[in-house]
Structure formats: structure tokens, C-alpha cells
Amino acid sequence: MVPTDFKALIQRFYQLQSERVETYQLFDEGHEAYLRTGPHYDFDHYRQLVHEITLAFNGMSKEVLDIKEKLHNEFDRPALSEHMDKLQSKERQKLEMTAKLQLARQRAQDHPEDEDCQEHIQEIKQEIIKNKEALSEIMQDFKYDSEECD
């Protein structure tokens, strides 16, 4: 029974990561729609989107933390819980960078003559790429370590 519970936790963790990816896609699409309402932005609608996205990410993070605790305490898999700590930190950074990117995109749209805006957008995009690479590495390590006992 225990291996099934372990595998179920691992599967749920992977599902949560997939949900995060989908939530980022919705966030990006929502922001694109918001930008199309400029120059008189529909901020109320966008604020509602941000609220819903925040709730979704908070729910996912809470569940990931619950899984992390179970892996550490019930299954004695501290390496997996460490990967999850690193992952949570990188996910938090990714969300912060995504918000920065959205603000930079709006600023660039509002000030098309300002070339620094485009440069700033590219810098943030590079940070996000590095972050995604780090997330991918953490997920690979997690996958390797979680399959270690199979």
C-alpha cells in the first residue's frame, strides 16, 4: 500500500506542475487581452484575473508544501523535499519576473518612443529563460530521485 501512496503523491505533484504551466498560459493570455484594451485599460477586469491567478497559485503551492511534508516525514525522502523547496523558490521568482514583464510590456506600449523599455523587456525575458532552465533541472533531479526506489 505504501508504494502506491508514494506514487500517488508523485503523480499529484506532476499534475500540480502541469496546472502551474496552464495557469501561466492563462495569465499571459489575460495580460495580452488587457493590453489590447489600452490606452484606456480595463484594469478592473485585469485585477480580477490577477486575483484568480493568485488564488490558483496559492492553492497549488499549499498542496505542493503538503506533498513535500509527506515525502519528508512519512516517506523519509528528504532529497525530494529539498528539490521541492528549490522548486517553490524558483516558482516564486518566476511569478515575480512574470509580473515585472507584464509591467514592462505595458510601459513599452504606453511609451513606444522609449527604446529602454524594449531593452528592459529583453532582459526580463532572459531572466525568465534562465529561471525556466533552473526549474527544468530541478524537475529532472526530482524525477531521477523519485524513481530511485522503483
Side-chain angles (χ1 to χ4, degrees):
M1 182 78 173
V2 171
T4 305
D5 291 340
F6 176 78
K7 287 183 179 183
L9 277 179
I10 299 302
Q11 274 307 112
R12 181 60 187 144
F13 171 68
Y14 286 131
Q15 288 172 340
L16 287 166
Q17 285 305 107
S18 292
E19 288 175 25
R20 279 181 170 163
V21 170
E22 291 171 15
T23 303
Y24 272 110
Q25 289 172 340
L26 290 173
F27 197 24
D28 288 341
E29 290 168 7
H31 186 256
E32 290 298 320
Y34 168 71
L35 287 179
R36 287 192 296 273
T37 66
H40 305 291
Y41 297 102
D42 181 3
F43 186 71
D44 290 338
H45 190 244
Y46 180 66
R47 181 176 47 212
Q48 181 63 33
L49 171 71
V50 170
H51 175 71
E52 291 168 12
I53 296 294
T54 300
L55 289 176
F57 278 132
N58 284 343
M60 287 178 245
S61 289
K62 184 183 181 316
E63 197 170 343
V64 166
L65 291 173
D66 289 344
I67 292 170
K68 178 187 89 97
E69 288 303 312
K70 286 178 182 171
L71 290 174
H72 189 82
N73 297 327
E74 294 175 26
F75 294 96
D76 193 29
R77 299 297 295 270
L80 295 180
S81 62
E82 284 179 35
H83 294 317
M84 293 175 91
D85 274 338
K86 292 176 187 174
L87 186 91
Q88 286 291 97
S89 176
K90 288 293 178 189
E91 287 288 357
R92 197 169 18 260
Q93 290 173 359
K94 181 179 174 186
L95 186 56
E96 289 169 5
M97 287 186 276
T98 299
K100 279 185 192 176
L101 180 60
Q102 290 181 355
L103 289 171
R105 283 182 171 158
Q106 182 176 344
R107 181 162 173 72
Q109 180 170 306
D110 292 344
H111 304 281
E113 74 287 349
D114 188 347
E115 293 174 18
D116 289 341
C117 290
Q118 290 303 321
E119 190 175 310
H120 187 57
I121 288 171
Q122 292 309 313
E123 289 170 5
I124 297 169
K125 283 182 177 181
Q126 287 302 311
E127 288 178 41
I128 290 173
I129 288 169
K130 288 178 188 171
N131 177 276
K132 286 180 179 180
E133 289 169 353
L135 282 167
S136 181
E137 286 177 27
I138 294 166
M139 289 300 294
Q140 281 298 113
D141 291 344
F142 182 89
K143 183 178 188 300
Y144 176 79
D145 288 344
S146 68
E147 293 174 348
E148 203 171 65
C149 290
D150 284 354

